[in-house]
């Protein structure tokens, strides 16, 4: 087991490294970026921006450095100046990027870079802001969401709310989804089974944004207009006190306020995941119930409950474990659409915002944390297999 | 070859955008909103060139086989039912309100520079068809589209963004054209391509191209309509005269209009340009957009007006009738920082307006003082003076193109009368000196008075490239800055005479504020954006103090008891971030938020709120303001 864990940890590190490298490279290769907007302003009559201004802004985002060095600086905060041995500075003139490229116009009228007017050397890196590196837990400063303030501040403003929402959803979905799937399978083709199957088809095929808006329209707007008990349309906490018929005055920020605000987003997400999970459990159970050993168990005259739970359900859980462990990274990354509709300050919305506002440090940190959680979830899944299925050994 | 390459790239971009749209619908929604509400990137006007380029010999000068014919362009104008186009996007407006959105010029009809009696192009398809016949485009028996003598079809590519708004009105336009026998091939490209720095519009890659310009208090226009502003490969695509329009009279007058500070002369010159613009029909103004602001009926005080983007400018006078002491404003975005030298988002400017107050505003496209200053320093009131100075060779001056140059013989400058001349020793130039006078009693929110050192710090940080800011146009052209506790005297570089000179002033920072044991004045500009006291909870002299910023959710402001006009009436303001416009409208209707702005109230959302406001005993007030942004279709007069 120990050997296995060591081997797996090494593999996990490699996977993480490559995923970091690939996502970092892809982000850099993707067109656009925070300077695109500035380039657009170039040539304005009232705002005169020249090549030097653009170079300065590029340098603020480290875009003047070669991709390799940007990556290593992001990963472990190096290089941050010439290599020093005692008093000596080595490679101070080593070129790591280009501050001001040499551009020309080709025959087609396109601007092409043909060289470098003003290179960046290791010596120039001295005194520049640099993070300690993501492997030491420092994700650097945000570019666009919270400009020049630590990425961790941004993440911590969202993580608790995301966990609050997603943890509730996951627990509720498991609590509802497993029994539903189980009963459906045991009573296949019963009225109950048909109802659950129909609802789960509805749940998995109805887009969350549509379902969410319908809920807001009914339970927030219409109910309020009719003077009935209504739910607040969105947010995680209220900004000021409000009065709900039947409940009376709800204080902004109170537990009741937060609970009321969770009802709709949780319902949407639970409906969606219960739909998927119950169907999965149902088919997995049906598969197992057809096996010979279940027939044998029944033939032995075991109690039906023992047959179902000890023999069938435990085996049906094996494939289900894979699905459930992958809910772990999901708990961190949130639900993009639902969070947006209900204005929930979570990670899903943050991720989309970070991408659309060219905040590479924030996007990269979410990518990387997501990747880390995924590999950890895989490991947990593998270990869980040995528990639910004793035939599997990890050595 | 190159063309096919760009097509491949374009299709790739479009496929990618479709995939993205499929994966994350809300991203696309956001794009659309940005397109429709925020002043689009296209407002920008392009730098004037130093050399006159011989464009005749270069690419993109060949006349367009169809569009270079004035009759075809006029026919398109006559065949366009612009009221129907307006109806398609603003169906909730009354017919009178729709009528008001029609434009006949590149300047809004309420603007001081708008000319009256311009040539009109009412919807008259018969006249349009006749013009097409005359131009040789005949409709064959039973055919839907016209052809010429060579059997070529009258078909034109129409390029614009994929914003829903534009798809809607473009569909009506396509139908209009089809009724006149013109085939329109609609291409709805992603904004990133259409407005990209080296794609789409900037490369004049269109036949008919639709986009928006934003009208301003100063109509500008030199980079849009002058002959030397036609982007071609030869001038490295400089300029914004994407139509390729060169009209001698318009060219002379647009330059004149931008070279003089005398309003009467400017009005005359702009009238000439507008007349030629309408006669030549190089660009069809389709309609002005509308802006909406909605707020709870309990709120008294907002006074939205065309031309002024910030309705919160008088927030210190607002009152709540019965909603207690808290006002909640909803915005689609969250500011990246409140260090506004490096952040220009609408919400950041609004938050800053609460903390710092808005010194000057431009209601109805005319600037006035709002806070702090006694008056705008103009030449008329003596607050500004235009001196004739005699610079020496080697001095830094601003040339006719607005660039800073070392003065030498032969350099083109404006002389003391504003005429463009080649400089030689003895030629005098204009220099503007502005004197701003402050109202007495301005204090920081901690009660300390505003002093000269604060304004000096303001100038120092605003003009320090290390701050992270991009634009230093005004700083580089300011040669003198003298302050006392109640005045600011600004001397501009000889030759720098921008039409809006009377809006140039420098803001202030609390030089006495202590941050981590250091005085703010001693902290280098490079660090400012990383300071919580600057980026998140800055101190100001305005009506409100920022108390708290819960990231991703809201900002809380409290009334500033030290505000020089007295503490505002509403005790607490909350700025809430609601990215989803439907959610925002739901919150307005349920009373969770009290006020929404143009960025939220677009498309269907505006319609929903308009309907809610029209009901008896409505709890919402809905304002419709003609926007400075106007849609138009440019005709590209050239082909590659």
């Amino acid at each position: 087991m120990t050997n296995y864990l060591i081997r797996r940890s090494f593999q996990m590190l490699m996977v993480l490294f490559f995923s970091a490298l690939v996502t970092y490279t892809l982000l850099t290769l993707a067109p656009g970026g925070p300077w695109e907007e500035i380039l657009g302003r170039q040539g304005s009559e009232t705002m005169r921006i020249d090549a030097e201004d653009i170079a300065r802004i590029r340098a603020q985002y480290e875009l003047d450095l070669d991709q390799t060095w940007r990556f290593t600086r992001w990963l472990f905060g190096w290089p941050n100046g010439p290599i020093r041995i005692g008093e000596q500075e080595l490679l101070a003139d080593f070129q790591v990027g280009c501050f001001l490229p040499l551009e020309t116009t080709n025959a087609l009228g396109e601007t092409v870079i043909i060289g470098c007017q003003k290179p960046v050397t290791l010596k120039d890196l001295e005194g520049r802001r640099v993070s300690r590196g993501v492997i030491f837990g420092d994700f650097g400063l945000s570019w666009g969401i919270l400009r020049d303030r630590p990425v961790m501040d941004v993440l911590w403003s969202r993580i608790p709310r995301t966990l609050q929402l997603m943890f509730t959803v996951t627990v509720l979905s498991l609590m509802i989804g497993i029994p539903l799937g189980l009963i459906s399978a045991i009573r296949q083709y019963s009225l109950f089974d048909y109802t659950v199957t129909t609802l789960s088809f509805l749940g998995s095929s109805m887009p969350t944004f549509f379902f969410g808006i319908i809920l807001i329209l009914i339970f927030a707007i219409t109910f309020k207009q009719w003077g009935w008990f209504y739910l607040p349309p969105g947010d995680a906490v209220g900004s000021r006190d409000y009065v709900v018929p039947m409940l009376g005055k709800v204080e902004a920020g109170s537990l009741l306020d937060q609970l009321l605000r969770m009802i709709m987003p949780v319902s949407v997400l639970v409906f969606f995941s219960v739909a998927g999970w119950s169907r999965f459990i149902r088919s997995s159970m049906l598969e197992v119930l057809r096996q010979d050993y279940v027939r044998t168990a029944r033939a032995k005259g075991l109690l039906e409950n023992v047959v179902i739970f000890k023999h069938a359900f435990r085996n049906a859980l094996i494939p289900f474990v894979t699905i459930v462990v992958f809910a772990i990274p999901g708990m961190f990354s949130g639900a993009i659409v639902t969070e947006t509709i209900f204005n929930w300050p979570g990670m899903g919305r943050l991720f989309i915002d970070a991408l659309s506002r060219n905040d590479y440090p924030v996007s990269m940190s979410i990518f990387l944390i997501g990747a880390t959680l995924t590999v950890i979830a895989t490991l947990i899944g593998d270990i869980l297999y040995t528990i639910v299925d004793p035939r599997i050994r990890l050595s | 070859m190159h063309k096919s390459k760009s097509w491949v790239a374009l299709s790739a971009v479009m496929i990618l955008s479709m995939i993205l749209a499929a994966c994350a619908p809300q991203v696309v929604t956001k794009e659309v909103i940005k397109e429709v509400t925020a002043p689009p990137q296209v407002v920008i006007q392009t730098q004037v060139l130093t050399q006159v380029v011989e464009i005749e010999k270069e690419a993109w000068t060949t006349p367009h086989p169809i569009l270079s014919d004035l009759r075809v362009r006029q026919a398109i104008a006559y065949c366009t039912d612009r009221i129907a186009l307006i109806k398609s996007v603003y169906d909730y407006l009354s017919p009178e309100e729709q009528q008001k959105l029609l434009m006949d010029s590149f300047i809004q009809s309420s603007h001081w520079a708008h000319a009256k009696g311009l040539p009109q192009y009412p919807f008259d398809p018969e006249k349009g068809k006749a013009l097409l016949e005359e131009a040789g485009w005949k409709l064959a028996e039973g055919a839907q589209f016209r052809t010429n003598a060579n059997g070529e079809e009258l078909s034109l590519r129409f390029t614009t963004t994929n914003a829903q708004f534009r798809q809607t009105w473009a569909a009506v336009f396509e139908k209009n054209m089809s009724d006149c026998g013109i085939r329109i091939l609609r291409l709805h490209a992603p904004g990133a391509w259409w407005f990209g720095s080296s794609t789409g519009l900037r490369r004049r890659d269109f036949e008919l191209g639709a986009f928006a310009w934003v009208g301003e208090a100063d109509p500008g226009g030199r980079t849009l309509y002058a002959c030397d502003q036609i982007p071609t490969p030869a001038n490295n695509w400089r300029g914004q005269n994407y139509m390729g329009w060169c009209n001698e009279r318009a060219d002379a007058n647009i330059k004149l209009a931008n070279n003089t500070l005398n309003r009467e002369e400017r009005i005359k010159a702009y009238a000439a340009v507008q007349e030629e613009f309408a006669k030549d029909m190089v660009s069809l103004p389709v309609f002005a957009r509308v802006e909406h602001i909605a707020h709870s009926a309990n709120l008294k005080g907002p006074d939205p007006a065309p031309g002024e983007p910030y309705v919160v400018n008088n927030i210190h006078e607002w009152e709540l009738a019965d909603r207690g002491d808290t006002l909640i404003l909803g915005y689609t975005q969250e500011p990246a920082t409140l260090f506004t030298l490096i952040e220009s988002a609408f919400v950041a400017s609004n938050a800053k307006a609460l903390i710092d107050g808005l010194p000057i505003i431009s209601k109805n496209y005319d600037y006035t003082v709002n806070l702090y200053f006694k008056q705008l320093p103009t030449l008329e009131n003596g607050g500004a003076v235009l001196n004739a100075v005699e610079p020496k060779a080697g001095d830094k001056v601003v040339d006719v193109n607005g660039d800073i140059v070392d003065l030498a013989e032969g350099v083109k400058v404006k002389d003391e009368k504003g005429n463009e001349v080649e400089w030689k020793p003895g030629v005098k130039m204009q220099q503007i000196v502005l004197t701003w006078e402050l109202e007495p009693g301005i204090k920081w929110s901690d009660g300390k008075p505003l002093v000269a050192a604060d304004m000096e710090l303001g100038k120092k940080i605003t003009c320090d490239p290390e701050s992270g800011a991009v634009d230093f146009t005004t700083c580089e052209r300011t040669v003198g800055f003298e302050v006392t506790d109640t005045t600011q005297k600004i001397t501009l570089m000889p030759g720098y005479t921008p039409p809006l000179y009377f809006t140039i002033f420098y803001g202030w920072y609390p030089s006495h504020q202590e941050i981590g044991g250091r005085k703010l004045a001693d902290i280098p500009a490079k660090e400012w954006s990383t300071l919580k006291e600057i980026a998140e909870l800055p101190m100001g002299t305005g009506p409100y103090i920022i108390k708290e910023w819960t990231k991703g959710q809201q900002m809380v402001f409290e009334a500033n008891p030290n505000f020089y006009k007295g503490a505002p009436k509403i005790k607490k303001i909350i700025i809430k971030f609601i990215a989803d416009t439907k959610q925002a409208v739901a919150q307005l209707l349920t009373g969770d938020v009290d006020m929404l702005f143009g960025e939220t109230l677009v498309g269907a959302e505006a319609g929903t709120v308009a309907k809610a406001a029209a009901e008896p005993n409505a709890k919402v007030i809905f304002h419709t303001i003609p926007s400075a942004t106007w849609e138009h279709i440019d005709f590209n007069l050239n082909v590659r």
Side-chain angles (χ1 to χ4, degrees):
Chain A
M1 184 77 175
T2 320
N3 265 346
Y4 173 81
L5 283 180
I6 293 170
R7 206 172 64 229
R8 279 298 296 266
S9 307
F10 182 71
Q11 280 174 354
M12 278 161 56
L13 285 178
M14 291 307 288
V15 168
L16 283 181
F17 176 78
F18 280 111
S19 64
L21 185 67
V22 169
T23 43
Y24 195 91
T25 315
L26 278 177
L27 263 189
T28 333
L29 290 180
W35 62 97
E36 258 309 282
E37 194 199 326
I38 295 156
L39 279 181
R41 274 191 259 167
Q42 191 179 17
S44 145
E45 201 166 348
T46 46
M47 228 188 241
R48 285 159 184 277
I49 295 158
D50 56 25
E52 190 83 29
D53 289 325
I54 290 167
R56 198 181 56 244
I57 299 302
R58 281 169 52 87
Q60 273 162 12
Y61 292 115
E62 296 227 322
L63 294 168
D64 55 343
L65 300 188
D66 292 341
Q67 159 94 27
T68 324
W69 306 120
R70 247 155 68 199
F71 182 65
T72 56
R73 275 163 71 84
W74 173 77
L75 200 63
F76 46 87
W78 183 89
N80 52 5
I83 300 163
R84 276 175 211 284
I85 300 173
E87 289 292 290
Q88 251 191 326
E89 283 182 359
L90 292 178
L91 296 171
D93 292 333
F94 183 75
Q95 189 180 339
V96 288
C98 180
F99 181 75
L100 201 59
L102 192 59
E103 289 176 341
T104 187
T105 311
N106 68 9
L108 289 170
E110 291 162 337
T111 308
V112 284
I113 296 171
I114 50 163
C116 184
Q117 282 186 54
K118 206 166 155 190
V120 185
T121 62
L122 276 183
K123 183 82 184 159
D124 297 329
L125 293 182
E126 269 180 346
R128 273 208 195 185
R129 275 201 302 249
V130 64
S131 73
R132 278 172 291 128
V134 292
I135 57 170
F136 302 111
D138 183 354
F139 289 101
L141 301 182
S142 158
W143 284 5
I145 298 286
L146 195 57
R147 171 108 185 247
D148 286 354
R149 303 279 303 147
V151 169
M152 280 323 277
D153 281 15
V154 181
L155 295 186
W156 277 119
S157 67
R158 309 294 205 281
I159 289 175
R161 292 286 175 211
T162 302
L163 288 180
Q164 176 192 341
L165 180 71
M166 298 310 287
F167 187 76
T168 317
V169 168
T170 312
V171 170
L172 280 179
S173 310
L174 285 176
M175 279 166 51
I176 300 170
I178 296 178
L180 283 188
L182 203 62
I183 302 171
S184 280
I186 299 167
R187 302 199 186 144
Q188 199 187 3
Y189 304 134
S190 67
L191 183 65
F192 181 86
D193 181 32
Y194 281 127
T195 317
V196 170
T197 319
T198 313
L199 279 179
S200 64
F201 267 116
L202 202 65
S204 43
S205 53
M206 181 147 62
T208 44
F209 69 86
F210 178 71
F211 189 34
I213 285 171
I214 295 288
L215 287 190
I216 295 176
L217 191 63
I218 298 173
F219 293 104
I221 299 177
T222 314
F223 276 25
K224 163 125 192 186
Q225 274 169 358
W226 290 349
W228 291 8
F229 170 84
Y230 74 97
L231 293 168
D235 300 334
V237 248
S239 299
R240 75 173 151 220
D241 305 347
Y242 52 101
V243 178
V244 176
M246 285 153 70
L247 279 183
K249 188 173 161 183
V250 181
E251 211 175 296
S254 66
L255 192 65
L256 180 63
D257 174 39
Q258 299 196 37
L259 271 176
L260 287 177
R261 284 168 195 278
M262 270 177 80
I263 294 175
M264 283 199 287
V266 166
S267 311
V268 169
L269 290 170
V270 165
F271 188 46
F272 184 73
S273 31
V274 161
W277 288 2
S278 66
R279 270 170 50 200
F280 193 91
I281 283 281
R282 177 179 180 272
S283 57
S284 176
M285 254 324 256
L286 284 177
E287 177 85 27
V288 174
L289 285 174
R290 264 185 241 122
Q291 298 292 325
D292 288 344
Y293 58 81
V294 173
R295 197 177 312 136
T296 315
R298 286 205 176 111
K300 280 198 295 188
L302 287 178
L303 282 176
E304 187 61 13
N305 273 353
V306 178
V307 176
I308 300 282
F309 288 103
K310 201 168 170 199
H311 294 260
F313 184 55
R314 198 164 164 187
N315 280 300
L317 272 185
I318 300 171
F320 190 62
V321 162
T322 327
I323 294 196
V324 174
V325 289
F326 281 113
I328 297 175
M331 274 193 228
F332 163 80
S333 55
I336 297 169
V337 178
T338 312
E339 283 176 6
T340 308
I341 293 170
F342 291 103
N343 206 38
W344 190 269
M347 295 294 282
R349 246 177 73 198
L350 178 69
F351 186 48
I352 289 298
D353 274 357
L355 284 176
S356 65
R357 288 166 79 174
N358 292 312
D359 196 332
Y360 294 1
V362 171
S363 324
M364 276 306 299
S365 67
I366 301 178
F367 267 134
L368 200 65
I369 298 175
T372 314
L373 290 176
T374 308
V375 291
I376 293 176
T378 322
L379 180 67
I380 295 176
D382 289 351
I383 296 171
L384 279 181
Y385 279 152
T386 61
I387 299 171
V388 290
D389 187 355
R391 287 168 300 186
I392 301 172
R393 292 282 173 272
L394 286 182
S395 46
Chain B
M1 183 61 204
H2 176 61
K3 193 161 183 172
S4 71
K5 234 169 101 182
S6 64
W7 271 103
V8 171
L10 173 61
S11 344
V13 170
M14 291 187 68
I15 291 167
L16 192 69
S17 75
M18 276 155 68
I19 296 170
L20 281 175
C23 299
Q26 69 278 48
V27 185
V28 175
T29 322
K30 233 182 140 180
E31 267 308 305
V32 174
I33 294 156
K34 205 167 160 189
E35 237 325 287
V36 181
T37 61
Q41 310 89 307
V42 286
V43 197
I44 305 131
Q45 306 178 350
T46 301
Q47 186 171 349
V48 184
L49 277 176
T50 20
Q51 82 273 30
V52 178
V53 185
E54 284 185 320
I55 49 174
E56 286 82 10
K57 295 171 195 157
E58 300 292 340
W60 286 103
T61 53
T62 318
H64 190 286
I66 302 171
L67 290 173
S68 57
D69 188 335
L70 173 64
R71 290 168 299 190
V72 175
R73 302 197 300 268
Q74 289 181 330
I76 292 176
Y78 281 120
C79 286
T80 309
D81 184 1
R82 291 183 285 167
I83 285 291
L85 266 58
I86 294 171
K87 262 187 203 151
S88 71
V89 285
Y90 298 127
D91 58 339
Y92 54 88
L93 295 183
S94 69
E96 299 81 59
E97 283 176 319
Q98 290 172 349
Q99 194 70 33
K100 271 188 206 154
L101 303 180
L102 281 179
M103 285 181 75
D104 59 355
S105 145
F106 56 89
I107 295 175
Q108 264 83 0
S109 52
S110 62
H111 198 289
W112 56 266
H114 179 260
K116 306 287 172 247
L118 294 169
Q120 301 289 318
Y121 295 88
F123 177 49
D124 189 348
E126 292 317 311
K127 205 164 172 181
K129 285 176 196 168
L131 279 164
L132 289 173
E133 293 281 335
E134 198 188 314
W137 295 101
K138 313 270 185 204
L139 198 59
E141 195 58 42
Q144 196 187 350
F145 299 110
R146 289 169 189 274
T147 44
N148 64 8
N150 301 333
E152 288 156 348
E153 195 183 65
L154 179 51
S155 120
L156 290 163
R157 183 155 55 93
F158 172 90
T159 313
T160 189
T161 62
N162 52 13
Q164 187 56 52
F165 176 79
R166 292 211 170 100
Q167 300 206 23
T168 307
W169 70 253
V172 182
F173 175 71
E174 185 183 0
K175 176 77 177 47
N176 282 173
M177 290 303 107
S178 162
D179 291 346
C180 279
I182 306 170
R183 186 200 285 275
I184 292 292
L185 305 167
R186 280 201 284 146
L187 174 65
H188 290 283
W193 177 83
W194 182 224
F195 302 126
S197 55
S198 59
T199 49
L201 194 58
R202 277 167 198 265
R203 291 287 183 268
R204 298 180 65 199
D205 193 355
F206 67 98
E207 289 184 313
L208 301 180
F211 57 101
W213 290 117
V214 180
E216 286 176 33
D218 173 51
R222 170 155 185 176
T223 60
L224 274 60
Y225 307 118
C227 290
D228 58 3
Q229 298 298 319
I230 301 172
T232 62
N235 65 8
N236 204 12
W237 302 103
R238 294 294 160 135
Q240 289 173 301
N241 187 340
Y242 302 119
M243 297 96 57
W245 181 47
C246 185
N247 172 311
E248 216 175 304
R249 182 166 169 240
D251 184 56
N253 277 287
I254 197 73
K255 284 181 181 156
L256 175 66
N258 283 283
N259 277 352
T260 173
L261 298 177
N262 181 315
R263 187 174 271 203
E264 292 309 311
E265 268 180 55
R266 301 192 76 199
I267 290 174
K268 254 187 246 161
Y270 276 121
V273 183
Q274 290 170 74
E275 205 181 299
E276 294 303 318
F277 181 80
K279 259 195 228 160
D280 281 359
M281 188 33 73
V282 284
S283 169
L284 174 66
V286 188
F287 56 85
R289 290 193 201 159
V290 288
E291 282 258 342
H292 300 295
I293 287 175
H295 57 77
S296 130
N298 291 317
L299 177 64
K300 311 280 169 228
D303 177 26
E308 171 51 46
Y310 306 113
V311 71
V312 296
N313 62 69
N314 64 339
I315 197 163
H316 55 280
E317 293 165 356
W318 293 6
E319 275 179 274
L320 282 173
D322 64 347
R323 258 271 176 71
D325 53 5
T326 308
L327 176 72
I328 304 178
L329 314 176
Y331 294 85
T332 53
Q333 241 196 357
E334 178 170 10
T337 173
L338 289 181
F339 185 41
T340 34
L341 284 182
I342 57 169
E343 165 74 332
S344 55
F346 179 69
V347 57
S349 309
N350 278 261
K352 256 316 226 196
L354 299 189
I355 301 166
D356 283 340
L358 278 171
I360 51 177
I361 52 174
S362 60
K363 284 186 179 177
N364 298 308
Y365 303 99
D366 248 342
Y367 279 98
T368 48
V369 161
N370 185 44
L371 291 175
Y372 305 131
F373 295 115
K374 287 185 175 159
Q375 62 174 18
L376 289 180
T378 61
L379 296 171
E380 291 79 21
N381 66 23
V385 281
L386 194 60
N387 293 331
V389 289
E390 197 178 324
K392 297 185 294 292
D395 283 0
K396 294 248 184 252
V397 297
V398 173
D399 68 6
V400 288
N401 297 317
D403 294 321
I404 299 177
V405 289
D406 292 318
L407 197 56
E409 278 192 43
V411 168
K412 282 196 107 182
V413 296
K414 275 184 279 178
D415 69 6
E416 56 184 311
K417 296 198 179 77
N419 301 316
E420 294 189 8
V421 295
E422 290 196 356
W423 187 82
K424 54 181 191 285
V427 169
K428 287 187 175 172
M429 290 180 71
Q430 296 175 329
Q431 182 171 45
I432 295 179
V433 182
L434 305 162
T435 308
W436 291 90
E437 281 184 59
L438 288 149
E439 300 269 7
I442 303 171
K443 285 181 191 156
W444 292 100
S445 56
D446 63 359
K448 294 259 167 39
L450 176 73
V451 293
D454 301 332
M455 288 185 264
E456 268 162 15
L457 183 61
K459 162 84 166 62
K460 186 182 137 215
I461 295 300
T462 309
C463 295
D464 192 331
E466 293 290 317
S467 70
V470 180
D471 169 45
F472 298 95
T473 313
T474 310
C475 285
E476 286 162 353
R477 288 162 182 72
T478 301
V479 292
F481 184 70
E482 293 160 43
V483 279
T484 67
D485 289 350
T486 52
T487 59
Q488 251 190 44
K489 188 173 161 196
I490 298 166
T491 311
L492 301 178
M493 193 174 267
Y496 186 51
T497 53
L500 298 180
Y501 64 94
F502 46 80
T503 61
I504 296 175
F505 69 93
Y506 289 93
W508 37 83
Y509 290 107
S511 57
H512 66 275
Q513 191 180 7
E514 288 224 11
I515 297 173
R518 290 184 292 175
K519 282 254 162 51
L520 188 57
D522 301 330
I523 299 176
K526 195 178 174 179
E527 284 177 45
W528 278 44
S529 65
T530 64
L531 298 172
K532 191 171 185 170
E533 291 82 352
I534 293 293
E536 294 184 23
L537 303 172
M539 186 195 287
T541 51
Y544 286 90
I545 305 172
I546 181 162
K547 284 286 166 188
E548 195 192 341
W549 177 357
T550 314
K551 309 287 161 354
Q553 297 178 50
Q554 61 181 29
M555 288 171 160
V556 180
F557 300 82
E558 272 172 22
N560 175 9
N562 290 308
F563 184 53
Y564 86 110
K565 287 198 161 181
K569 291 172 183 136
I570 301 175
K571 293 277 168 301
K572 193 167 158 191
I573 305 266
I574 292 175
I575 284 186
K576 201 157 144 182
F577 318 122
I578 313 167
D580 189 72
T581 50
K582 290 190 181 68
Q583 169 69 224
V585 168
Q587 295 208 9
L588 181 74
L589 298 181
T590 56
D592 278 44
V593 64
D594 297 312
M595 189 166 190
L596 295 175
F597 302 86
E599 46 165 17
T600 305
L601 301 170
V602 288
E605 273 65 271
T608 309
V609 179
K611 231 183 267 166
E615 279 171 20
N617 304 323
K619 292 191 175 126
V620 177
I621 294 177
F622 185 67
H623 298 269
T624 299
I625 313 122
S627 157
T629 310
W630 54 285
E631 296 284 314
H632 58 100
I633 301 170
D634 273 8
F635 302 110
N636 196 342
L637 304 182
N638 303 120
V639 287
R640 196 194 302 267

